[in-house]
Amino acid sequence: MLHALLLTLIALFVTLFVFLAWNLGYWRRRGVWEPYALPLLGSFPNMVWPRRHFLNDMREIVIVVDFLYKSVWSKPTYCRQYRSTHSYVGAYLMRAPKLLLLEPKLINEVLVSAFRCFENNDASRMVDTRKDPFIACNPFVLDGDEWRQQRGIFSPLLTSGRIRNAYCNMQQICGQLCDYIEEQSKSGQPFDGTDLGLRFTSENLFDCVLGIKARSFTANPLPVAQHNREMSEDNYRLALAGALNGLFPRLPRRLRPKIVPPSYERFFGDLVRQSFHLRRCRRQERNDFINHLLDLQLQHQLTEDQLTSHAMTFMFDGLDTTSSTIAHCLLLLARYPECQQQLFLELAKASAKDQLLPHFELLSELPYLSACLNETLRIYPAGGWASKTCTEAYTFHGSHASDPLQMLPGDNVMIPIYGLHHDPNFYPEPQLFRPERFLNGGLKRFQQLGVFLGFGNGPRQCVGIRLGLTQTKAALASIVKRYEVHVNVRTLDGIELDPYIFVGAHKGGIWLDFKRRKL
């Protein structure tokens, strides 16, 4: 009996090991250099066993997993050493084979010139839109013709005229943001920068998209932050979907789990439905987002679920990314007071003393404000990596590859955005905040090189880029115009990412102090 049980356990262990290790060697068999990887942990062990953020694994591609083999191997070897001799290396996201691109020229091909062969995001493999109607129309998780159709419906929402109209309300919300800072500063407690950014972003998006006041700067706000954490930080469903995608890369759609928490769906669903009901009852001809959404419903015969999903695209794509960028930019400006002072002088010149923000057209043209924002996105990119699926056969001709590599439909490529942004070959002293990198045509130069992907690139770059830039710049400009920003002692030094937060965020939180400027 005991002998049979032992044999059964051994058989199960061997079967599990073979299953986890089966794909290892996939790239080597195709003639691609394949750094060291482990069963289950793959090439990015910190995604499974987080001692540091896995984006650092991607940046350095740890061949030797030093926390397991430190006594055996003298030191880890890093991917950076391959950049001068390899255009790409074979990697594994758990069990899923990924071609990690190292040469910017090839990254530009995938995102721009050869887009038709890599038009699908890998995120679509994690989602069953029938189970998650909230994201069924979100262009980020859609493929092929469905992506083109929904993006074609959503993109006309974001015209310059509507963003300009939203900016009028945005100015009032920036005033409320500064008044909130003034009032809360009396307590002497530091500000949580991420919370402050989320309060502004939720108030702005709720107002301009749904026509609802989120009451973010009152003592009784809508619980946006709580539900946002349920979706982005404490979402075991999303973690499960990611794990299944890593373990079973070709998992049938019907077996993919629901990723939107029911409580999140109820909260936002009720608000969106109430918003549309009120606007239908009190029809107002306004050039705003909610009116245009209702017009789209009639024009494209959208169902209520599709209409809700389009409205929620603003929330999914804008809440976390914008609030995080605002918080990180404030942190970096606080650490570099000379940069903060230069930004203040630019803002003071662009608007009168009693004017919190410059005019809409001028705001987008302020070079140093744009440079500060782009340098923040370089250091703390909202998306630290991208994964694309090959949809048509394509051949890579890498500068460091002796033979061309034929990519087949279904193959995945990974783009190490965080690694590119922190590569000293492109950005000398990458750990330093230097906005001047992006002045005098710097942004265009880095984009053409394929080494700056703050908002992505090509046809599938962030669909809400103009709205995101406008609200981020408005928040930063209003705060810096009125306050000096200082780092609180609770904030950890360095630019280390929190390993337990999937989207790159400063480890330990962003804690800030504000001092009213004397104008």
Side-chain angles (χ1 to χ4, degrees), residues 124-163:
S124 63
R125 295 187 178 193
M126 297 170 53
V127 176
D128 183 351
T129 54
R130 292 169 300 183
K131 295 175 184 174
D132 281 309
F134 253 37
I135 53 179
C137 295
N138 190 314
F140 183 75
V141 300
L142 299 178
D143 290 340
D145 290 338
E146 195 174 9
W147 163 72
R148 278 184 281 274
Q149 178 186 3
Q150 297 304 333
R151 185 180 174 100
I153 293 174
F154 187 82
S155 294
L157 282 165
L158 299 163
T159 63
S160 296
R162 292 190 186 89
I163 295 174

Side-chain angles (χ1 to χ4, degrees), residues 211-333:
I212 292 175
K213 301 297 182 185
R215 306 191 301 270
S216 302
F217 305 117
T218 69
N220 186 31
L222 291 177
V224 178
Q226 170 194 333
H227 290 288
N228 193 61
R229 280 193 300 272
E230 288 177 348
M231 181 65 200
S232 59
E233 294 180 26
D234 305 325
N235 192 350
Y236 76 89
R237 298 167 184 270
L238 187 58
L240 175 61
L244 289 174
N245 187 43
L247 290 171
F248 306 98
R250 301 189 186 278
L251 188 71
R253 180 182 291 259
R254 65 181 182 276
L255 297 180
R256 300 170 194 173
K258 178 180 175 63
I259 66 171
V260 179
S263 56
Y264 180 97
E265 208 167 57
R266 285 193 299 271
F267 172 72
F268 280 99
D270 288 345
L271 286 176
V272 172
R273 284 188 289 271
Q274 289 175 25
S275 173
F276 287 136
H277 175 71
L278 288 173
R279 183 57 65 92
R280 286 185 180 114
C281 292
R282 307 172 186 175
R283 181 67 184 181
Q284 296 172 297
E285 293 302 325
R286 296 170 56 186
N287 187 25
D288 61 5
F289 295 115
I290 187 170
N291 257 34
H292 193 62
L293 279 168
L294 291 172
D295 290 339
L296 285 177
Q297 184 179 32
L298 296 175
Q299 182 181 348
H300 296 278
Q301 301 298 307
L302 302 179
T303 66
E304 283 295 308
D305 282 346
Q306 289 174 319
L307 187 64
T308 300
S309 180
H310 279 300
M312 285 305 302
T313 296
F314 286 97
M315 305 302 166
F316 282 121
D317 294 0
L319 278 176
D320 265 341
T321 53
T322 304
S323 60
S324 174
T325 302
I326 291 170
H328 286 118
C329 191
L330 290 174
L331 169 63
L332 293 167
L333 288 169

Side-chain angles (χ1 to χ4, degrees), residues 420-434:
L420 289 172
H421 285 193
H422 288 260
D423 191 325
N425 291 320
F426 307 123
Y427 301 98
E429 298 183 293
Q431 75 281 5
L432 299 183
F433 179 67
R434 290 183 173 174

Side-chain angles (χ1 to χ4, degrees), residues 167 171 347 350-351 355-363 366 477:
Y167 186 67
Q171 291 174 297
L347 293 168
S351 55
Q355 189 181 7
L356 194 60
L357 289 172
H359 296 299
F360 173 74
E361 287 77 10
L362 187 55
L363 180 77
L366 295 176

